[in-house]
Structures are given as structure tokens and as C-alpha cells.
Amino acid sequence: RSTLSSSSAASDVYKRQDITRENKQSSTIWGGRFNSKPSAIMEEINSSISFDKRLFHEDIIASIAHAQMLAKQNIISKGEGLKIIKGLKRIYKEIEKGKFNFKTELEDIHMNVESRLKEIIGDTAGKLHTARSRNDQVSTDLRLWVRNAISILDKELKELQKRLIVLAERNTSTIMPGFTHLQNAQPITFGHHLLAYVEMFGRDRSRLLDCSKRLNINPLGSAALAGTAFPIDRQSTTKELNFTAPTTNSIDAVSDRDFVMEFLSISAITSIHISRLSEEIVIWCSDQFNFIKLSDKFSTGSSIMPQKRNPDAAELARGKSGRIIGSLMSILVVLKGLPLSYSKDLQEDKEGLFDSFDSLYICIKACIGMISDVTINKEKMLEASKQGHTTATDLADWLVKELKIPFRKSHEISGRIVKLAEKNNCLLHELPLDSFKSIEKKINNNVFKVLSVENSVKSKTSYGGTSPKEVLKQIKNARRRFLK
């Protein structure tokens, strides 16, 4: 009943607002064709100022570039150009200082800026929109915003890589169990494990760079969809806004949102990498593992259980991947059946984009914080690495190298020895030599050299392997590839 009542109340409010709008003047933005204003419902669904106001920086610098070009091409006078630019700079300061009054009825950031410009400089403000449309304007603004967002995320991911590399260098000889299927598989070094994430985030940065290169073309001057008859200079605005080139097709320029899809796709992939790291942090912090301990800065307690120490920063970072993936799915569905060129559906490209950036940014920052002051329980890691017969593969390799037994046969022999160790409730290195010989009589005392986790780790000297010496080489390599 309460839900129905709330809906009814909301409906009544909109009805009252609709009545007050009847027979009033139509929109000053596009109202020449209409006799009255839109309804309150229409105004509400049509307005994007609540979220696209964060494009103010991009909108104003693009407008300044456009005004400069118009004056240079004598489409407006130089005096008018200077007057417009001065007014735009004043608006920029007002917004930065929180003194700007954003109006829902003006729909979006573009018309809010233009309306305020008219208040400041009069009718000359109307000349700013010459030879452009909100269609190419928003496409330009959004490209500039995503380009900057990529730069910010790249910087933060680089910092996360740096912290991971520093922690890896401190733990080049810290032995832990390596897992497959979350089962103890082979002993590895913790530093080696951390470098895996350095590689993952390196690929994310590479994808961001590729996206930045593709999106960095200038739609301004495409107007609504067909270009313009005014003698504009698109190379001028391209240079001013640091684009690499103007778009070559005006229809594609205003309807293209590939760069939004691509950015959200990269964000989703990066968020999955963040989620996988966060999942391991959660596991490693558990009492059952006790491999690491997060600092108080990135842990929380319980409202009822005083002993609890929860890795909530990691859990929240893991959870936010869902909303980022959701934003990607949303834009894919919006665009999948959209005809060329511009449709109002494209207004749905921004909220998910902004939210995904905000979510990913805070997740990366949280991971930087967690990695920076985590405490490593080396003794527990070493102890765990000895469980589950993790040197069984080393035993099989030894049989191949020392006794010249084919690997498939050595694999079978090693499996039988593992079964014998399990029957005797002991580890491989705890079995007496006679037990080994009962399965393969050629085995000698030298076998015990390969059964320690320390020697197992040291032996993995292949390029990209887990031996401390190789990990140090790859740390140096990672610094060169990612941090310089």
C-alpha cells in the first residue's frame, strides 16, 4: 500500500506540474516549431544536466576552440569571438567555484552554458552555435572526457604496478603454494605470483593506449549529421584540442560511440583483474590461509562480533566489477539496433560511462592502498607450500633426467609414490628410501634433493619461471617495460 501511495503521490505532483505548464511559451532552445512547453514528464526524461554537467570542462574548452575558429574564418567578427571567449572563461570559473546555477529546463550542459553566456554578453552568445550542433558538440566533449579518463586510469594502474613490483622484490625468495583449481599444485615464490598481476595490468594499460589512439579524432564541424555550408576550418579546432585528425564522415562522427563501448570493455576487463586480485586477498586473509594481513586502513570490523577483521576494501573492489560489466552491457544493448545517425538513445551513453570510471578509479586506489602496507606471513606460506605433495612434479622430472624413464611412465610412478605417502599419512620427503624402491627399484638417495620446496623453486630457471634469480630478472624487465 505504501508503494502504491508513493507512486500515486508522485503522479499527482507531475499532473500539477503539467497543468501549470499548459499554454506557456515553448522551449527557447528549439521552440520555434512548437506552441507550448513539454510536460514535466517529458522535461524530466529529456534532461541530462544532472549527470552531463561533469562535461563542463570539455564543453567550454571545445566552445572556445570553436569560437576562435569562427573568428579566424570571419564567420563572426574578431570582437565577437573575444567577447564569447571572455564570457566562456567567466562561466568556467563560476562552475569551478560552485556558483553556477544548473537548470533542468535547459536540458544539458551545452544549453546551460550557452544560456548563461547570453546572460553575460547578450545576443552575441547565439553566434557561438554557428556551424555546429549539439550532436557534434557532445561527441567532441565525450571524446575529450574519455581521453582524459584514460590518462588518469593509466597513471593509477602504473602506480599499482609499481607497488606490486616493490612488494615482489621484497618477496623474491618467499615460498608459497602455487594453485591450480585452488588446490596446492607446485611451490612458487610470492614475488612470482605478484608479477602475474603486473602483466595483467600492463595489458590493461596497453588496451587503454590503443583506445586513446582510436578515439582521438575530432567530430567538431560535423554539425547535425551532414556537415555545414559555413567555411569552417576543422584542422584549426583539431590542432587546438590536440586531436590527431578531423573525422572523415559527418554521419559517423555524430553517431559513433565505439570509443565508449571500447572504454567500457577495457574497464570491465580491468575490473575483472582487480576482482581476481581482490578475491585472492580475501582468501589469503582468511584464518584458514593466514598468508597476509591487511592494515587497519583497509579493514573493517563487525557490528556484533568484536573479534572480526574483515577485508572489506577487497570485497568492495571485487563487487564493483559487476556494475562496471553492467554498464558495458547497457551501452551494447542501446547501440545494437540504433539507426544512423543521432538518436536521443545516445543520451544513455554517459551515466554508465561516468559511473564505471568512478568505480574503477576508486577500486584501483583501494588496491594500491592494500598492496602498499600489507603484512606477509612468510612462515605460514612456507608451511602451506609443503602440504599436498607439491614437489611430485619435481619427482617425476627427476625420474626422467636421472633414470631416463619416459615422462608418462615417470608420471605414473610418481602418482603411485604420492598414493603411498597419503596411505602413510606423511609428506613425500618423509618417506624412507625403501618405500621409493618398493615402487621403482632404481631410485636412490639423490631423489631427496628434489623433494624440498626450496630446491623445487630454485630449479625453475626457465625464462619467466619462479626461481628467485629469474624473478629478479623479470622485476628488472617489468620496471623497464612498465615504469619508465
Side-chain angles (χ1 to χ4, degrees):
R1 286 177 61 89
S2 61
T3 302
L4 289 172
S5 298
S6 298
S7 300
S8 177
S11 177
D12 289 343
V13 169
Y14 277 117
K15 284 178 182 177
R16 289 197 297 273
Q17 289 174 337
D18 284 347
I19 292 169
T20 62
R21 279 174 165 72
E22 287 180 3
N23 300 319
K24 289 200 172 185
Q25 185 180 355
S26 60
S27 171
T28 58
I29 304 170
W30 38 258
R33 173 67 175 78
F34 296 80
N35 295 321
S36 61
K37 282 191 173 183
S39 71
I41 292 291
M42 182 60 205
E43 191 173 272
E44 183 72 19
I45 195 173
N46 192 46
S47 176
S48 60
I49 190 60
S50 63
F51 51 86
D52 72 15
K53 61 187 177 184
R54 71 188 291 172
L55 292 172
F56 82 90
H57 170 80
E58 291 75 17
D59 193 69
I60 291 175
I61 64 169
S63 291
I64 289 173
H66 185 66
Q68 288 173 338
M69 183 275 296
L70 292 176
K72 179 184 174 185
Q73 295 299 107
N74 295 315
I75 297 170
I76 63 176
S77 71
K78 286 182 171 55
E80 289 169 333
L82 290 172
K83 193 174 183 180
I84 288 170
I85 291 167
K86 184 178 179 181
L88 288 170
K89 289 180 177 178
R90 176 176 167 182
I91 293 169
Y92 190 93
K93 290 179 180 178
E94 288 177 354
I95 297 175
E96 272 199 325
K97 294 178 180 179
K99 295 181 179 180
F100 189 92
N101 180 28
F102 293 102
K103 298 176 181 177
T104 302
E105 63 270 20
L106 293 174
E107 297 183 9
D108 55 33
I109 185 60
H110 321 300
M111 299 316 302
N112 268 267
V113 169
E114 186 174 317
S115 177
R116 176 59 181 145
L117 185 62
K118 185 177 180 180
E119 292 174 358
I120 295 171
I121 67 172
D123 289 341
T124 303
K127 295 191 175 185
L128 174 61
H129 210 53
T130 306
R132 76 174 184 185
S133 163
R134 282 190 292 175
N135 295 357
D136 64 336
Q137 193 178 354
V138 68
S139 181
T140 303
D141 292 356
L142 210 54
R143 285 176 186 272
L144 292 171
W145 189 92
V146 173
R147 188 176 72 184
N148 186 52
I150 286 173
S151 179
I152 292 169
L153 290 178
D154 180 71
K155 180 182 176 182
E156 296 304 327
L157 284 170
K158 182 179 180 180
E159 182 63 23
L160 178 54
Q161 286 180 299
K162 178 182 175 182
R163 302 301 176 96
L164 286 165
I165 289 169
V166 168
L167 187 59
E169 192 166 34
R170 293 174 186 161
N171 290 276
T172 55
S173 299
T174 301
I175 297 175
M176 67 175 289
F179 300 98
T180 61
H181 310 277
L182 203 55
Q183 305 294 311
N184 280 19
Q186 290 181 282
I188 60 170
T189 57
F190 186 47
H192 187 58
H193 193 103
L194 294 171
L195 289 182
Y197 285 104
V198 173
E199 293 298 319
M200 292 161 74
F201 295 128
R203 293 193 293 273
D204 295 328
R205 291 179 63 195
S206 177
R207 280 184 277 264
L208 285 170
L209 178 61
D210 286 344
C211 178
S212 185
K213 289 176 180 177
R214 269 186 290 277
L215 73 81
N216 201 33
I217 52 176
N218 180 21
L220 198 57
S222 300
L225 80 157
T228 178
F230 288 97
I232 61 172
D233 180 2
R234 296 191 65 205
Q235 295 292 346
S236 174
T237 55
T238 295
K239 183 178 180 181
E240 187 65 27
L241 296 171
N242 292 318
F243 286 116
T244 55
T247 52
T248 56
N249 185 283
S250 58
I251 296 175
D252 180 59
V254 300
S255 60
D256 171 33
R257 292 298 184 272
D258 286 5
F259 64 97
V260 176
M261 288 190 289
E262 188 172 3
F263 177 81
L264 286 174
S265 175
I266 296 164
S267 297
I269 294 170
T270 306
S271 75
I272 289 170
H273 293 161
I274 290 284
S275 184
R276 294 184 76 177
L277 174 58
S278 298
E279 168 72 3
E280 296 209 295
I281 289 172
V282 171
I283 290 171
W284 293 341
C285 280
S286 67
D287 291 335
Q288 290 76 11
F289 277 75
N290 192 25
F291 286 179
I292 65 172
K293 180 180 178 182
L294 292 181
S295 71
D296 290 354
K297 295 176 185 177
F298 294 95
S299 304
T300 66
S302 165
S303 63
I304 189 172
M305 296 170 283
Q307 85 283 6
K308 289 300 296 296
R309 184 184 184 86
N310 303 323
D312 280 0
E315 291 174 14
L316 289 164
R318 182 179 59 186
K320 284 186 182 293
S321 63
R323 65 193 292 166
I324 296 173
I325 294 166
S327 293
L328 171 61
M329 294 302 105
S330 177
I331 190 63
L332 292 174
V333 173
V334 166
L335 288 167
K336 76 172 183 65
L338 208 59
L340 299 178
S341 58
Y342 183 85
S343 297
K344 198 71 172 187
D345 311 51
L346 292 176
Q347 188 165 291
E348 293 298 317
D349 62 1
K350 297 174 193 67
E351 286 183 282
L353 174 65
F354 296 154
D355 182 76
S356 292
F357 168 78
D358 293 340
S359 297
L360 185 55
Y361 177 81
I362 195 66
C363 288
I364 297 170
K365 296 292 279 188
C367 283
I368 290 171
M370 287 187 286
I371 294 298
S372 296
D373 58 3
V374 66
T375 302
I376 310 302
N377 189 340
K378 296 182 179 183
E379 293 77 16
K380 186 64 177 179
M381 283 187 174
L382 178 61
E383 178 189 338
S385 71
K386 296 175 181 178
Q387 305 302 314
H389 312 293
T390 57
T391 57
T393 303
D394 298 275
L395 171 59
D397 290 344
W398 183 86
L399 292 170
V400 171
K401 287 188 289 186
E402 297 297 322
L403 305 185
K404 309 305 178 185
I405 296 173
F407 181 79
R408 284 301 167 203
K409 181 65 177 177
S410 73
H411 186 284
E412 178 195 342
I413 293 169
S414 298
R416 291 168 62 192
I417 293 171
V418 167
K419 189 187 296 184
L420 183 61
E422 287 178 341
K423 182 179 179 181
N424 287 276
N425 194 28
C426 68
L427 300 176
L428 287 177
H429 70 274
E430 293 173 336
L431 281 172
L433 182 59
D434 287 346
S435 295
F436 285 94
K437 285 182 171 292
S438 68
I439 294 173
E440 173 51 61
K441 62 182 180 181
K442 294 180 183 178
I443 294 176
N444 56 56
N445 261 322
N446 289 335
V447 73
F448 292 101
K449 293 179 181 179
V450 300
L451 296 182
S452 73
V453 294
E454 292 84 359
N455 286 338
S456 173
V457 164
K458 287 178 183 178
S459 71
K460 304 304 189 297
T461 55
S462 59
Y463 187 84
T466 193
S467 74
K469 286 184 178 180
E470 185 59 28
V471 171
L472 282 170
K473 287 180 186 177
Q474 294 307 332
I475 285 171
K476 184 178 179 180
N477 188 24
R479 282 202 167 98
R480 177 183 56 79
R481 291 163 57 212
F482 301 123
L483 303 186
K484 288 187 178 179

